[in-house]
Amino acid sequence: MLVVAAGIPGLEQVLQSGLWLGVGILVLVLVRFRWRDKSPKPVRPKRPARAKLHHVAAELETSRQLLKKIRSDITRQALQAKLQQLQAHSQSQDWHVVVFGMASAGKTSLINALLGEPVGAIAPTLGTTKQGSLYTYELPVGGGTVYLTDTPGLQAIGQSGEAEARTLASQADLLIFVVAGDLLASEYQELCQLARLGKRTLLVLNKTDQIHPQDVELILAKLRQRTAGIIAPQHILAIAARPQPLRVRYQQPDLSFQEVEEPQPPTLHPLIDQIITILKKEGSHLRLANTWQQAQNLTQAAQQALRQEQYEQGCAIVERLQWATAAAVSVTPLPAVDLIAAVAIHARMIAELHSLYGSKITFQQASRTAQTLARLLVQLGSVELVTQTLASLLKSSPAALVGIPIQAASAAYLTRIAGLSYLDWLASGTPWQPDSLKERIQTYLKAHSQKAFIQSFLQQWSGPKKPLLSDQSTSAP
């Protein structure tokens, strides 16, 4: 076929051109596909879950049962106060509306205008509002009460008040996000975060009295374009919470002129009408959805508090049994008996840790696991490390080890490493894997200085036997 093609004038050039054209098209397709695949995906707001009262009640009951298990009075009382607050809110006809935005966007001015009286300080400087402030606002929405919350302004990252502002925003039934112009990158990021939480949000362009009317429409169009898929177009509004005074000239009887600044009423009716419409149409749903979300957060907080308490109790078990191992080894002159005693105490420690976490384990299983721990400690060379540390201490300060059983210090250290490693695995809730436990032992061997532990052990051995929680180098992470 190539011979035939070569015999036809110009056919070879045509075939080559077609080949290069095909390659070019293929490259363009691949490049376009790659660009399209890497293009930023629009933020999809999380719609508020269709919560019902029994959903909220069930979640609150789950939290209540968890709170009963928390030992710390301070932690339990703080979470119980939150529980009671959520219980009352789920059964009320009230709404929490939070005003949120960058510093000096006019949040406090908006609150003052809605209430019809100055209740918060306003100033051109950043950060006038230092902490969240709650006010009662009356609206004709079926006899319910609207609580307005002013928040500290979002400023540069790291400034005080930002964390509180975000927390208050996450607890809102309805959110009013105030801006004074087109969205900044930081404001857009905040809106995206709130959209992921499923918060119904009104985006309010404030200070429109200082903007030309045509520019106001242009900014609103830009805001609707940038927040497409995040905020509904009808929820993007223009207001003037605190219009600048209007300078007016009056002619006096003597034909002279006097200039005065007359205050102008705020322009809030688009915002007020939209708030009333939303609360009348879906206010009950928004309240229940918000309460359900906060109840789930409360359940997670209670679970975290319980896990922390369990871990601290587990550390106390390890502290106690490391001393038991040291005491048992100190009275047994034979190494074989030392090993048997240590493994037996390790088995008891494992059984107590399982009991703490409500996990069943037989004594035989605990004994086998203790033997596995002992083998892992030998494989990782931890026994040699302790021996070398003791030899170093003996050379530097021989008098320090007079009358001190060396095997007891070694056994206590190894018990601590084994116990904390096993506790870490048990708290993680992951399936049993010796390799995973081996990695944890290696981590704890690196994190806990043998020399610091043994020095502390020697000091405490001669004094009252107490847990080693005061020694930073040997405390649980």
Side-chain angles (χ1 to χ4, degrees):
M1 183 175 181
L2 291 176
V3 174
V4 175
I8 301 176
L11 181 59
E12 183 177 357
Q13 290 79 6
V14 172
L15 292 175
Q16 289 179 350
S17 300
L19 178 62
W20 283 112
L21 179 62
V23 172
I25 293 174
L26 178 61
V27 171
L28 288 175
V29 170
L30 292 175
V31 170
R32 184 177 180 183
F33 174 79
R34 186 175 182 181
W35 283 353
R36 183 179 60 183
D37 185 59
K38 290 189 175 182
S39 60
K41 296 178 175 56
V43 176
R44 298 294 181 184
K46 178 182 176 182
R47 298 184 62 184
R50 285 291 173 183
K52 295 184 180 180
L53 190 58
H54 71 272
H55 293 149
V56 177
E59 193 66 43
L60 292 176
E61 180 60 28
T62 300
S63 299
R64 185 179 294 106
Q65 295 302 323
L66 289 172
L67 294 182
K68 292 179 180 179
K69 301 177 182 179
I70 297 178
R71 294 188 175 187
S72 171
D73 291 337
I74 297 176
T75 302
R76 184 177 61 256
Q77 290 172 5
L79 295 178
Q80 282 179 340
K82 181 64 176 178
L83 176 67
Q84 295 172 358
Q85 179 184 356
L86 293 177
Q87 179 74 33
H89 187 49
S90 66
Q91 299 175 352
S92 71
Q93 295 296 320
D94 302 332
W95 295 274
H96 292 161
V97 179
V98 175
V99 183
F100 188 69
M102 300 297 287
S104 296
K107 304 183 306 301
T108 303
S109 297
L110 174 57
I111 296 285
N112 291 341
L114 289 171
L115 298 177
E117 56 180 336
V119 294
I122 53 178
T125 57
L126 296 178
T128 303
T129 302
K130 300 302 181 182
Q131 58 183 3
S133 304
L134 182 66
Y135 308 100
T136 303
Y137 181 48
E138 296 295 337
L139 275 179
V141 283
T145 301
V146 176
Y147 292 98
L148 294 174
T149 300
D150 191 9
T151 61
L154 298 173
Q155 304 171 60
I157 296 176
Q159 295 293 325
S160 61
E162 284 197 357
E164 180 184 2
R166 293 187 179 93
T167 299
L168 292 171
S170 67
Q171 297 173 354
D173 298 324
L174 178 64
L175 195 65
I176 300 176
F177 197 108
V178 184
V179 295
D182 194 9
L183 282 174
L184 302 174
S186 56
E187 290 175 318
Y188 181 75
Q189 291 175 0
E190 294 293 341
L191 278 175
C192 291
Q193 292 294 333
L194 295 169
R196 293 186 181 97
L197 292 176
K199 293 297 175 184
R200 179 74 77 247
T201 304
L202 296 176
L203 180 58
V204 175
L205 174 61
N206 193 18
K207 303 183 180 182
T208 54
D209 59 297
Q210 305 175 29
I211 309 173
H212 191 278
Q214 292 182 351
D215 292 335
V216 170
E217 294 303 320
L218 290 175
I219 294 175
L220 288 176
K222 184 66 173 178
L223 291 174
R224 293 187 178 104
Q225 178 185 358
R226 293 192 63 187
T227 60
I230 301 177
I231 300 178
Q234 67 271 23
H235 293 164
I236 302 177
L237 313 164
I239 66 167
R242 188 171 175 252
Q244 293 182 339
L246 182 64
R247 187 178 295 275
V248 181
R249 295 181 66 190
Y250 289 99
Q251 188 175 19
Q252 302 300 317
D254 60 357
L255 302 183
S256 63
F257 291 91
Q258 180 184 10
E259 289 189 355
V260 297
E261 291 187 345
E262 290 188 351
Q264 301 299 304
T267 304
L268 298 177
H269 61 275
L271 174 60
I272 295 176
D273 293 344
Q274 195 62 242
I275 293 175
I276 293 174
T277 299
I278 291 176
L279 294 185
K280 281 186 175 180
K281 183 178 179 180
E282 52 180 339
S284 178
H285 158 61
L286 293 178
R287 183 195 310 111
L288 285 178
N290 178 38
T291 308
W292 192 19
Q293 183 184 74
Q294 292 194 59
Q296 291 172 334
N297 294 338
L298 178 61
T299 298
Q300 293 176 1
Q303 291 172 339
Q304 183 177 358
L306 276 174
R307 287 194 295 267
Q308 181 62 30
E309 284 192 348
Q310 284 178 324
Y311 190 82
E312 292 174 355
Q313 294 173 45
C315 289
I317 292 174
V318 174
E319 296 280 355
R320 173 168 51 83
L321 291 180
Q322 77 181 22
W323 282 105
T325 304
V329 170
S330 66
V331 297
T332 54
L334 300 177
V337 180
D338 291 350
L339 179 60
I340 295 174
V343 170
I345 294 176
H346 287 185
R348 177 182 172 184
M349 177 175 62
I350 291 169
E352 289 192 28
L353 292 176
H354 274 271
S355 177
L356 174 65
Y357 280 85
S359 175
K360 294 182 179 179
I361 188 172
T362 65
F363 180 76
Q364 290 76 12
Q365 291 173 329
S367 298
R368 288 195 295 268
T369 303
Q371 293 171 8
T372 300
L373 281 173
R375 285 196 300 269
L376 289 175
L377 289 170
V378 172
Q379 292 174 6
L380 294 172
S382 55
V383 178
E384 288 80 359
L385 288 174
V386 177
T387 304
Q388 293 173 5
T389 301
L390 288 170
S392 175
L393 286 175
L394 186 60
K395 290 180 180 178
S396 61
S397 181
L401 296 177
V402 175
I404 303 296
I406 297 177
Q407 294 87 349
S410 303
Y413 174 77
L414 295 177
T415 298
R416 182 172 187 82
I417 296 300
L420 292 180
S421 302
Y422 195 81
L423 173 62
D424 184 59
W425 166 78
L426 196 59
S428 69
T430 57
W432 167 258
Q433 291 181 349
D435 290 341
S436 175
L437 187 58
K438 184 177 181 179
E439 292 176 0
R440 285 181 166 86
I441 292 176
Q442 288 176 319
T443 300
Y444 276 94
L445 283 172
K446 293 179 181 178
H448 293 71
S449 167
Q450 300 93 352
K451 184 175 181 180
F453 175 88
I454 294 172
Q455 286 177 334
S456 177
F457 173 85
L458 298 179
Q459 293 173 1
Q460 296 189 50
W461 182 264
S462 58
K465 301 300 185 294
K466 58 182 180 180
L468 304 181
L469 293 175
S470 60
D471 184 82
Q472 185 177 0
S473 63
T474 59
S475 60

